[in-house]
């Protein structure tokens, strides 16, 4: 079996930013080079390798260091220490308007962007019509960028990035901007380029986007790699980190829980005795909400995801207009949720979270990932995730 070509290797990347200094202090620092207090560590000992044909999604909360990492990998900024070895042509699009000039037209910006990616004038002349056609900006293509909406800037930047014939394409949050029709067009293009063997490195807050278009997920947390694995595992870790942060829990020791045991650091409530039964045309999920302290406004949610990590559906008790009774310390509240049996054959995982609502703020108390695995057997005339009961009718030709 032939091994895939290594495109990029990064080892022990460290990066810190210093607080802004007054002009006098900046001069003193430049002359004497003292250690500047108050520096913020953005990345700490980050190492990774990217191979040809991979599609990698990077997940992380705001401030986790995602954009900084991509900037270093793309050669836009330098790391304080560590190494980055690049063995391919890279196209980097960071942010909606990164590297674009608002005073220049869309056409001029396309030439400038492609030039920055290493293309010469003749090569750009050969692809400029393709860039213009994919961006679909009409007459705005020859108007200054300052007249564009953020969605239009996104169209231009993404179109230029994917037409540079790079081996590795790095995109940061650009796909979250713009209208739905253009996003679908971008997704189709990504799939097409993936089939051609192109490699993608995408940053997104959308777990579904990463699950749909990536075969590997990297989770950054406080400047360190918390997970580098398949997308299902990565999205699980990302959710754990978000829930722990929202509940103001310590992040150390947070791991994927395959069994319904009490999460570390959580004492106010737990969920126990999960079960799933098939009853007629429904699944019946049962569990017990146990209060370890008084909880005035308890709440509950359940999420179902495919084996690829794609969210199928999430039930939020608050959005359903329901309210659980107040619980006192030691109370046990049995919960029972009815779910229609219209999932198509495949493997699915159920995730559950207990909350407390205080005014308009919902605070997670405990969360359980992959608490139940649901294997739907059989064959179907449909493909996808859910059976929508589609029926075709037609009339014979006259």
């Amino acid at each position: 079996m032939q091994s895939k070509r290594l495109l990029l290797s990064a080892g022990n990347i460290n990066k810190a930013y210093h607080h802004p200094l007054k002009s006098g202090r900046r001069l003193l620092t430049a002359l004497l080079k003292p250690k500047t207090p108050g520096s913020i560590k953005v990345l700490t000992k980050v190492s990774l390798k990217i191979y040809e044909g991979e599609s990698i999604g990077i997940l992380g909360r705001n401030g986790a260091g995602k954009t900084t990492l991509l900037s270093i990998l793309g050669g836009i900024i330098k790391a304080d220490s560590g190494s980055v070895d690049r063995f391919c042509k890279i196209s980097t699009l960071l942010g909606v308007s990164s590297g674009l000039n608002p005073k220049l037209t869309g056409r001029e910006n396309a030439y400038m962007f492609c030039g920055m990616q290493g293309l010469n004038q003749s090569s750009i002349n050969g692809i400029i019509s393709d860039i213009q056609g994919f961006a679909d900006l009409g007459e705005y293509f020859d108007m200054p960028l300052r007249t564009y909406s953020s969605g239009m800037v996104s169209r231009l930047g993404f179109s230029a990035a994917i037409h540079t014939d790079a081996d590795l394409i790095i995109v940061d949050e650009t796909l979250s901007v713009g209208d739905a029709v253009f996003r679908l067009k971008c997704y189709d293009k990504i799939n097409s380029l993936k089939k051609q063997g192109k490699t993608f490195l995408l940053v997104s807050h959308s777990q579904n986007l990463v699950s749909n278009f990536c075969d590997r997920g990297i989770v950054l947390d406080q400047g360190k790699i918390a997970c580098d694995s398949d997308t299902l595992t990565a999205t699980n870790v990302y959710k754990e980190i978000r829930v722990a942060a929202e509940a103001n829990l310590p992040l150390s020791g947070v791991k994927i829980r395959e069994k319904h045991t009490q999460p570390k650091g959580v004492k106010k409530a737990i969920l126990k005795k999960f079960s799933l039964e098939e009853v007629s045309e429904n699944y019946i999920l049962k569990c017990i909400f146990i209060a370890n302290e008084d909880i005035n406004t308890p709440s509950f949610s359940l999420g179902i995801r495919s084996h690829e990590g794609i969210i199928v559906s999430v039930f939020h008790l608050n959005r359903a207009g329901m309210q659980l009774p107040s619980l006192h310390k030691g109370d046990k509240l049995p919960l029972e949720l009815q779910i229609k049996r219209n999932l198509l054959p495949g493997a699915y995982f159920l995730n559950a979270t207990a909350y407390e609502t205080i005014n308009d703020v919902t605070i997670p108390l405990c969360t359980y990932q992959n608490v139940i695995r649901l294997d739907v057997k059989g064959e179907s005339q449909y493909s996808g995730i859910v059976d929508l009961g589609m029926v075709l009718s037609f009339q014979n030709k006259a």
Side-chain angles (χ1 to χ4, degrees), residues 90-114:
I90 300 175
S91 178
T92 307
L93 180 61
L94 300 183
V96 174
S97 58
S98 177
L100 303 180
N101 190 328
K103 296 181 180 180
L104 302 180
T105 67
R107 186 183 302 276
E108 291 167 338
N109 269 291
Y111 269 92
M112 180 180 68
F113 179 88
C114 292

Side-chain angles (χ1 to χ4, degrees), residues 194-267:
K194 284 173 60 177
K195 292 177 181 178
Q196 298 175 27
K198 298 296 183 183
T199 306
F200 282 88
L201 188 59
L202 305 175
V203 161
S204 178
H205 289 289
S206 171
Q207 298 176 53
N208 270 359
L209 176 65
V210 172
S211 298
N212 267 310
F213 295 97
C214 300
D215 46 51
R216 174 181 162 196
I218 296 175
V219 182
L220 282 181
D221 179 41
Q222 299 181 356
K224 299 179 180 179
I225 292 182
C227 176
D228 185 350
S229 185
D230 60 90
T231 54
L232 177 59
T233 302
T235 53
N236 280 340
V237 171
Y238 177 52
K239 185 175 181 180
E240 287 281 356
I241 290 172
R242 288 195 300 112
V243 170
E246 290 168 4
N248 197 28
L249 300 176
L251 293 180
S252 59
V254 173
K255 296 180 179 178
I256 293 299
R257 287 179 289 275
E258 299 292 344
K259 299 180 180 179
H260 37 279
T261 54
Q262 181 176 352
K264 294 181 180 180
V266 177
K267 298 180 179 180

